[in-house]
């Protein structure tokens, strides 16, 4: 054991005495007023307590504070505040020994160990103890040399007396936030402090920060107008994560911004890892598309997240970035971009700026040729994305944390490429669909009529990936019921057990499903959402829903008679030929787009599984407290943890996870002309009619079931109408139960819209605030041709 007076700790022991003792020692050496005391290091409870008692009795100290000073305490990343023992007003040798014993034993207390396991993962913690003169204070408190909420200010909190209630959180304090530039011109303040005391405290606090070269959290007390410093530690809350942490830094005033389209691919709030992995790829693919199609000469003309970005965790598209292509080619118009992304032309008050200047005739003509080549390269892109996805692996086996991390980072390049290829096929379907819509709008002068006719012409498209998901589940369901009719009454657990011993036909159908669709899931571009192949319980729940609903595989149907539909709607001659060509191309584009999306998600899933393996390894090595934490870090931050333990990043991840719950509750409008702000939903009175976009024809009446999560979907009952923020490929198994759908976003070409049409389910999309305006149990009527929803 070693004992040092504060201000005299030997340099070799500074790393062992803990942050509390080290901070006090530094204050005394720098000449600041600190109550005298001593620190004991490496004390043995069996042999050293008598020696400490003797030292105390000879020190001249009477009433003292006995405080823990663990080696991990009061660090830059974690304070361990409140995790170890502190005893005040200790007097006498016997009482001192009791307090010392309890301080040392608190090193292994349940709460401290739990804190360490959750946050710090430090396995080499030792305990020193500070014994310090108690000051019978008039008032006390804390002082942040940098206000956590305003870096230009100093924050002081004060209470009457010794301040224990303030530190413990059991008493409210008077708070003073002082602008650093205004210290010398303070106005009168409320007690317990005076203007002069605050001025002196601020000056000293700035000096302390300069000496320490970092913002500090200081405890202090005042006796007879004299300031005593009781504790000094780094501020661990200066980087508190906010829900808008990843908001764009650029000024987007007057930009047309929408959640159409992108919120269908990845609805709701996304994790930081997904934002900087799959969402980055999506943004990269769109920026690359603009460059190749003639919108930009170079990729760097649009910065990362220049097209797709996050606001408070939710994703948006910058339409103004896409409008750039209308300046450089004769073939793209602002209205066609609106139709392709939003399935409608934006109103005048929704239109944003169109960046850039119109190109000259020759460059514009050349870019028009580039644009045509881009649109017509869908089949080539489809073939290439198939090759990349089928051959893409992140190999397992003997690998280190670093080697696996390096493989994942390298894989981002493939992820970017397949996202770009997907947007070539999407460009075909979007361009042809918007061309068809434009022709229909010109003919009918009625948005609802145009969408209804378009939906009719896009029905019954063969061999669509998203449609085959439910068809494949129906085939498995039929095979199970043929062999075991009682399966309708099976629980998820019983169905799981049955599948383990199922016959050859069922097993082959199951294996076939997993080979084709096992990488899919609800919110499948979110890395935190496990795919069906890796979440047996989720898959079995979906399969049980299909079995219970008694749905069978739909029979193949002939495609719609386009010529007849076109004729019925008054198109003749060249106009009829144009419509037919556009529709056939749009139908082919839907098939290509759905195929390429499935392949893109397969690549994302490989990266998803690799990150899952990396998370397991980081937990085993003690770098992360739990696997789920990895989804709340960026790839760069994960790289820092891979190289060495970084407790501050672990804390940041856990803060972000708590914020995700708040972010997930936010709702946004469809279109903005500035940085989006959440909307406040309104209550809809019985009988009120809500309007949206007709996506799939038909009329249905029934009780509403608001679905915001998988858990909500599991409560769906036969005959209900599902009301959701979005349509997602993962909802497909529930389509066999419902009578229709209402969504807050969507379009005729959305994945949910395609599946709804194939199963003759009426769907009205783009119904603003549907999930908050409509309540579960409300009787609603939806008209999928007129695009209306009636409550009551």
């Amino acid at each position: 054991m070693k004992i040092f007076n504060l201000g005299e700790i030997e340099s070799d022991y500074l790393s062992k005495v803990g942050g509390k003792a080290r901070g006090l020692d530094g204050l005394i050496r720098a000449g600041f007023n600190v109550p005298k005391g001593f620190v004991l290091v490496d004390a043995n409870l069996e042999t050293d307590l008598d020696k400490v008692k003797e030292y105390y009795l000879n020190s001249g100290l009477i009433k003292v504070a006995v405080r823990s000073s663990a080696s991990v305490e009061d660090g830059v990343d974690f304070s361990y505040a409140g995790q170890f023992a502190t005893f005040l007003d200790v007097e006498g040798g016997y009482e001192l020994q009791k307090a010392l014993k309890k301080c040392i034993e608190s090193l292994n207390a349940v709460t401290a160990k739990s804190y360490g396991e959750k946050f710090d993962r430090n396995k080499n913690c030792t305990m020193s103890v500070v014994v310090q003169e108690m000051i019978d204070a008039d008032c006390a408190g804390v002082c942040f040399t940098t206000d956590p909420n305003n870096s230009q200010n100093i924050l002081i909190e004060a209470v009457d007396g010794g301040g224990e209630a303030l530190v413990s959180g059991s008493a409210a304090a008077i708070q003073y936030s002082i602008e650093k530039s205004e210290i010398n011109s303070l106005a009168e303040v409320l007690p317990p402090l005076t203007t002069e005391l605050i001025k002196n405290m601020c000056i000293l606090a700035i000096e302390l920060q300069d000496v320490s070269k970092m913002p500090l959290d200081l405890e202090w007390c005042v006796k007879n107008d004299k300031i005593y410093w009781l504790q000094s530690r780094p501020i661990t809350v200066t980087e508190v994560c906010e829900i808008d942490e990843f908001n764009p830094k650029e000024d987007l005033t007057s930009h047309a911004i929408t959640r159409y389209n992108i919120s269908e691919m990845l609805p709701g709030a996304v994790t930081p890892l997904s934002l900087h992995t799959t969402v980055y790829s999506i943004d990269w693919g769109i920026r690359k598309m603009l460059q190749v199609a003639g919108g930009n000469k170079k990729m760097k003309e649009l910065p990362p997240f220049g097209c797709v970005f996050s606001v408070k965790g939710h994703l948006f598209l910058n339409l103004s970035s896409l409008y750039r292509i209308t300046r450089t080619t004769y073939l793209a118009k602002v209205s066609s971009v609106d139709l392709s992304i939003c399935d409608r032309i934006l109103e005048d008050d929704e239109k944003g700026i169109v960046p850039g200047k119109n190109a000259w005739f020759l460059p514009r003509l050349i870019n028009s040729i580039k644009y045509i080549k881009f649109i017509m390269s869908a089949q080539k892109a489809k073939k290439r994305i198939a090759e990349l996805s089928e051959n893409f692996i992140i190999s397992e086996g003997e690998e280190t944390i670093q080697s696996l991390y390096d493989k994942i980072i390298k894989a981002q390049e493939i992820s970017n490429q397949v996202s770009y290829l997907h947007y070539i096929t999407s460009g075909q379907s979007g361009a042809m669909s918007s061309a068809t819509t434009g022709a229909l709008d010109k003919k009918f002068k009625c948005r609802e009529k145009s969408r209804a006719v378009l939906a009719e012409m896009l029905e019954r498209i063969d061999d669509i990936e998203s449609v085959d998901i439910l068809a494949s589940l129906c085939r498995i369901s039929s095979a199970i019921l043929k062999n075991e009719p009682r399966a309708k009454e099976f629980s998820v657990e019983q169905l799981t057990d049955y599948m383990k011993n199922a016959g050859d036909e069922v097993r082959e159908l199951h294996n076939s499903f997993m080979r084709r669709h096992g990488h899919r899931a609800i919110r499948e571009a979110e890395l935190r959402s496990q795919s069906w192949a890796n979440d047996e319980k989720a898959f079995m729940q979906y399969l049980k829903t299909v079995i219970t609903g008694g749905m069978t595989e739909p029979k193949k149907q002939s495609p719609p008679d386009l010529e007849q539909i076109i004729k019925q709607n008054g198109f003749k001659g060249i106009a009829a030929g144009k419509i037919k060509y556009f529709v056939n191309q749009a139908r082919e584009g839907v098939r290509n787009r759905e195929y390429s999306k499935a392949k893109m998600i397969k690549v994302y899933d490989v990266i998803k599984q690799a990150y899952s393996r990396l998370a397991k390894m980081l937990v085993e090595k003690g770098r992360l407290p739990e696997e789920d934490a990895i989804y709340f870090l960026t790839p760069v931050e994960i790289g820092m943890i891979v190289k060495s333990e970084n407790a501050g990043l672990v804390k940041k991840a856990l803060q972000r996870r708590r914020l995700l719950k708040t972010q997930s509750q936010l709702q946004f409008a469809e279109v903005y002309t500035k940085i989006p702000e959440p909307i406040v939903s309104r209550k809809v009175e019985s009988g009120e009619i809500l309007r949206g976009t007709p996506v799939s024809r038909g009329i249905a009446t029934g009780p509403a079931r608001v679905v915001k999560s998988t858990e909500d979907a599991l409560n769906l009952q036969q005959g209900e109408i599902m009301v959701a923020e979005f349509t997602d490929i993962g909802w497909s198994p529930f389509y066999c139960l419902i009578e229709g759908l209402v969504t807050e976003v969507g379009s005729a070409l959305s994945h949910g819209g395609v599946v709804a049409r194939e199963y003759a389910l009426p769907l009205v999309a783009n119904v603003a605030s549907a999930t908050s305006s409509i309540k579960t149990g409300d009787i609603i009527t939806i008209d999928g041709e007129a695009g209306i929803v009636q409550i009551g």
Side-chain angles (χ1 to χ4, degrees):
M1 179 188 71
K2 296 285 289 185
I3 299 178
F4 298 103
N5 288 329
L6 294 175
E8 300 174 2
I9 301 174
E10 295 176 5
S11 58
D12 291 345
Y13 281 86
L14 284 174
S15 61
K16 297 184 67 176
V17 298
K20 194 170 294 179
R22 190 164 53 247
L24 292 170
D25 188 79
L27 292 179
I28 292 174
R29 290 175 186 271
F32 294 94
N33 188 36
V34 175
K36 65 179 182 177
F38 60 88
V39 57
L40 56 143
V41 189
D42 295 334
N44 186 301
L45 290 177
E46 301 297 327
T47 61
D48 293 333
L49 290 185
D50 286 340
K51 297 176 186 177
V52 180
K53 174 183 175 181
E54 183 179 352
Y55 193 92
Y56 158 74
L57 294 173
N58 293 328
S59 68
L61 296 171
I62 301 175
K63 188 180 291 187
V64 295
V66 181
R67 306 176 191 268
S68 63
S69 185
S71 57
V72 294
E73 203 171 357
D74 294 341
V76 174
D77 294 317
F78 289 95
S79 69
Y80 276 78
Q83 301 302 317
F84 303 116
T86 290
F87 299 92
L88 306 177
D89 296 314
V90 175
E91 187 172 356
Y94 176 70
E95 293 299 321
L96 175 74
Q97 287 179 318
K98 284 201 305 184
L100 290 173
K101 188 172 185 293
K102 289 179 180 179
C103 265
I104 293 171
E105 288 174 343
S106 71
L107 179 65
N108 296 311
V110 172
T111 54
K113 290 180 73 174
S114 175
Y115 181 100
E117 289 171 1
K118 187 75 172 176
F119 295 96
D120 197 5
R121 312 292 287 177
N122 195 299
K123 299 179 178 61
N124 300 304
C125 180
T126 59
M127 179 65 78
S128 298
V129 182
V130 172
V131 178
Q132 192 177 17
E133 177 187 10
M134 276 293 300
I135 303 296
D136 185 18
D138 299 322
C139 61
V142 294
C143 172
F144 291 88
T145 61
T146 297
D147 187 336
N149 297 313
N150 185 343
S151 62
Q152 303 304 311
N153 287 18
I154 294 171
L155 178 65
I156 298 171
E157 292 184 337
V159 294
D160 288 318
E164 304 86 59
L166 172 63
V167 176
S168 68
S170 61
I174 299 298
Q175 191 174 88
Y176 313 87
S177 188
I178 312 300
E179 190 172 341
K180 294 175 183 178
S181 61
E182 301 294 328
I183 291 174
N184 291 317
S185 56
L186 287 179
E188 199 66 30
V189 298
L190 294 172
L193 294 179
T194 63
T195 302
E196 193 62 26
L197 274 173
I198 288 180
K199 177 180 174 181
N200 292 338
M201 194 176 295
C202 288
I203 292 171
L204 291 170
I206 292 172
E207 291 179 11
L208 281 164
Q209 179 171 280
D210 291 342
V211 169
S212 301
K213 296 182 173 55
M214 67 178 71
L216 297 174
D217 170 0
L218 303 160
E219 288 185 27
W220 54 267
C221 71
V222 172
K223 179 66 174 177
N224 297 329
D225 291 332
K226 186 174 184 179
I227 299 171
Y228 293 84
W229 300 104
L230 307 177
Q231 192 163 311
S232 169
R233 58 186 172 219
I235 294 178
T236 59
V237 294
T238 51
E239 289 192 67
V240 174
C241 299
E242 302 289 346
I243 62 173
D244 54 3
E245 179 183 4
F246 296 110
N247 278 21
K249 304 299 185 289
E250 298 81 9
D251 181 6
L252 297 181
T253 302
S254 297
H255 283 236
I257 295 164
T258 183
R259 69 188 188 107
Y260 280 121
N261 190 278
I262 191 64
S263 62
E264 295 174 48
M265 172 168 277
L266 218 176
V270 302
T271 60
L273 183 57
S274 297
L275 177 63
H276 291 86
T277 305
T278 55
V279 177
Y280 177 85
S281 289
I282 292 166
D283 173 74
W284 191 94
I286 297 175
R287 289 187 289 122
K288 182 68 175 176
M289 174 188 72
L290 288 174
Q291 181 207 351
V292 173
N296 301 318
K297 290 183 179 179
K298 297 179 181 179
M299 281 278 286
K300 66 181 181 181
E301 289 183 32
L302 276 175
F305 300 109
C307 291
V308 180
F309 57 88
S310 162
V311 174
K312 300 183 189 302
H314 292 250
L315 298 183
F316 293 87
L317 260 172
N318 188 338
L319 284 174
S320 288
S321 293
L322 304 185
Y323 290 161
R324 296 163 72 97
I325 199 167
T326 67
R327 297 282 199 184
T328 61
T329 174
Y330 289 111
L331 299 178
K333 295 181 173 60
V334 170
S335 60
S336 62
V337 174
D338 290 348
L339 286 170
S340 179
I341 299 299
C342 307
D343 201 37
R344 66 180 178 89
I345 297 174
L346 298 188
E347 302 294 337
D348 289 343
D349 61 348
E350 297 174 317
K351 292 186 182 297
I353 61 172
V354 181
K357 297 179 179 179
N358 289 335
W360 291 355
F361 169 76
L362 186 57
R364 206 164 186 178
L365 180 62
I366 293 171
N367 284 330
S368 297
I369 296 171
K370 287 182 179 180
Y371 185 78
I372 293 172
K373 286 183 177 179
F374 176 84
I375 295 298
M376 300 309 292
S377 63
Q379 289 295 334
K380 184 178 179 181
K382 179 181 175 182
K383 181 179 179 181
R384 179 58 179 153
I385 201 171
E387 293 172 351
L388 286 174
S389 66
E390 292 304 320
N391 298 316
F392 179 62
I393 60 170
I394 297 178
S395 58
E396 301 184 43
E398 295 295 326
E399 58 188 0
T400 64
I401 293 176
Q402 185 67 56
S403 67
L404 177 56
Y405 173 76
D406 291 341
K407 290 176 189 175
I408 295 172
I409 297 304
K410 182 68 175 175
Q412 186 70 40
E413 298 175 13
I414 300 298
S415 179
N416 295 347
Q417 286 295 326
V418 297
S419 298
Y420 162 61
L421 293 168
H422 169 64
Y423 280 107
I424 295 179
T425 63
S426 291
Q428 178 199 23
S429 65
M432 295 306 169
S433 176
S434 61
T436 307
T437 303
L440 293 173
D441 285 346
K442 187 176 180 180
K443 173 74 174 177
F444 298 121
K445 304 289 192 289
C446 174
R447 178 172 177 262
E448 286 72 22
K449 175 68 172 176
S450 297
R451 300 313 181 273
V453 172
L454 178 63
E456 183 181 4
M457 292 192 292
L458 291 176
E459 288 177 353
R460 304 192 295 281
I461 303 173
D462 293 334
D463 198 29
I464 298 177
E465 286 292 309
S466 51
V467 173
D468 186 73
I469 290 174
L470 185 50
S472 295
L473 287 170
C474 288
R475 288 192 287 271
I476 300 172
S477 169
S478 296
I480 291 173
L481 289 172
K482 182 174 68 175
N483 293 290
E484 180 51 85
R486 295 176 302 170
K488 281 192 174 184
E489 283 73 49
F490 280 177
S491 65
V492 172
E493 293 73 20
Q494 289 172 323
L495 181 59
T496 303
D497 291 338
Y498 171 83
M499 291 293 288
K500 290 176 181 176
N501 301 296
D504 292 344
E505 181 186 9
V506 173
R507 284 207 306 272
E508 178 51 38
L509 287 170
H510 174 261
N511 292 337
S512 176
F513 178 92
M514 287 302 172
R515 284 193 297 270
R516 183 169 179 179
H517 305 300
H519 57 281
R520 308 302 293 267
I522 290 176
R523 303 185 76 241
E524 52 200 358
E526 167 58 65
L527 297 182
R528 197 184 185 206
S529 299
Q530 285 300 304
S531 55
W532 287 323
N534 293 280
D535 191 344
E536 182 181 60
K537 184 176 180 181
F539 173 74
M540 289 301 171
Q541 181 63 65
Y542 297 144
L543 181 57
K544 179 182 182 300
T545 301
V546 175
I547 294 171
T548 304
M551 194 169 190
T552 57
E553 181 183 2
K555 295 179 180 179
K556 292 282 186 181
Q557 299 184 57
S558 300
D561 188 339
L562 295 182
E563 290 187 1
Q564 182 66 22
I565 296 172
I566 291 169
K567 183 179 179 181
Q568 287 175 347
N569 285 284
F571 289 95
K572 299 178 182 179
I574 295 175
K578 283 173 60 178
I579 285 286
K580 184 176 179 181
Y581 174 77
F582 290 150
V583 171
N584 279 323
Q585 287 294 308
R587 288 172 66 86
E588 181 63 23
V590 168
R591 189 181 293 111
N592 289 340
R593 185 202 64 183
E594 292 295 309
Y595 178 85
S596 69
K597 183 184 178 183
K599 297 303 180 185
M600 178 179 71
I601 295 299
K602 190 171 184 180
V603 168
Y604 291 174
D605 188 57
V606 172
I607 295 174
K608 181 186 295 186
Q609 302 315 318
Y611 267 121
S612 180
R613 297 204 309 272
L614 181 62
K616 287 182 175 67
M617 295 172 72
L618 289 170
V619 170
E620 289 170 0
K621 294 291 184 181
R623 306 284 179 85
L624 287 179
E626 54 191 88
E627 294 171 25
D628 190 57
I630 200 169
Y631 302 109
F632 297 90
L633 297 167
T634 68
V636 171
E637 291 169 342
I638 293 170
M640 296 168 65
I641 288 180
V642 164
K643 286 183 170 58
S644 64
E645 292 190 33
N646 191 316
L649 289 176
V650 172
K651 180 176 71 172
K652 184 175 286 190
L654 299 178
Q655 286 179 344
R656 288 170 178 163
R657 183 167 64 183
R658 288 194 297 272
L659 288 174
L660 185 69
K661 295 179 181 178
T662 302
Q663 292 172 321
S664 298
Q665 295 171 1
L666 300 177
Q667 292 187 318
F668 292 86
E670 282 74 28
V671 180
Y672 293 85
T673 54
K674 59 181 180 180
I675 287 286
E677 287 293 334
I679 59 176
V680 179
S681 61
R682 62 185 181 85
K683 185 177 180 180
V684 178
E685 299 299 330
S686 178
E688 185 172 349
I689 290 178
L690 305 178
R691 297 194 176 275
T693 301
V695 170
S696 182
R697 295 181 300 160
I699 297 175
T701 299
R705 172 72 62 179
V706 177
V707 172
K708 295 184 178 181
S709 66
T710 304
E711 289 71 23
D712 291 337
L714 295 177
N715 292 321
L716 277 164
Q717 303 296 313
Q718 196 85 39
E720 291 184 326
I721 295 174
M722 185 166 78
V723 181
E725 182 182 349
F726 57 91
T727 53
D728 187 287
I729 205 69
W731 300 134
S732 298
F734 301 104
Y735 284 18
C736 60
L737 291 175
I738 60 179
E739 293 295 313
L741 298 110
V742 178
T743 65
E744 295 181 346
V745 294
S747 69
L749 292 179
S750 69
H751 313 292
V754 171
V755 177
R757 285 195 298 273
E758 299 311 306
Y759 288 91
L761 288 171
L763 166 58
V764 180
N766 304 317
V767 179
S769 302
T771 59
S772 54
S773 300
I774 301 171
K775 308 302 180 188
T776 293
D778 286 350
I779 302 300
I780 63 175
T781 298
I782 64 174
D783 186 333
E785 187 162 1
I788 61 174
V789 180
Q790 182 169 354
I791 317 295

